[in-house]
Amino acid sequence: MRVKRIPLCLLMDKATAIKQIRDVCNNVSRELMRIHPAVPALAEKEAQDEIFKTLFELTKQVEIIKKRLAKLEARDESALL
């Protein structure tokens, strides 16, 4: 007998999903910040420049996700009024 699996997204409400995504984004941001102080020890300017550039881009993308979540929450709150 096969048991049909229900996708996790169907077991979670919107507020819970937003919180989970925001928590993960915050963890990713913290981990990215931990990389930054280690980069100078590489002592290779080209590699350092590329890593710093990539860290900046990753941080921007995480912030875009967080801003999108904030817009979703604001829209939901205004719909309640």
Side-chain angles (χ1 to χ4, degrees):
M1 176 183 208
R2 278 191 137 174
V3 176
K4 186 174 182 181
R5 294 183 183 210
I6 300 172
L8 185 58
C9 64
L10 298 178
L11 300 175
M12 186 180 302
D13 67 355
K14 190 174 188 177
T16 304
I18 289 171
K19 181 184 180 333
Q20 178 177 324
I21 295 167
R22 180 174 286 118
D23 289 347
V24 171
C25 285
N26 289 337
N27 288 335
V28 169
S29 294
R30 276 192 293 279
E31 292 301 315
L32 290 172
M33 286 189 297
R34 290 181 57 204
I35 295 171
H36 199 278
V39 175
L42 298 175
E44 170 87 30
K45 179 153 177 39
E46 189 176 319
Q48 291 169 322
D49 290 346
E50 187 63 32
I51 291 169
F52 282 136
K53 178 183 170 187
T54 303
L55 286 172
F56 177 72
E57 292 300 322
L58 288 168
T59 301
K60 274 190 352 187
Q61 296 304 315
V62 170
E63 290 304 313
I64 289 169
I65 293 170
K66 289 165 59 173
K67 286 178 186 176
R68 186 66 180 160
L69 294 175
K71 285 181 183 178
L72 282 173
E73 286 179 320
R75 189 177 340 146
D76 288 350
E77 289 172 4
S78 67
L80 294 175
L81 298 177

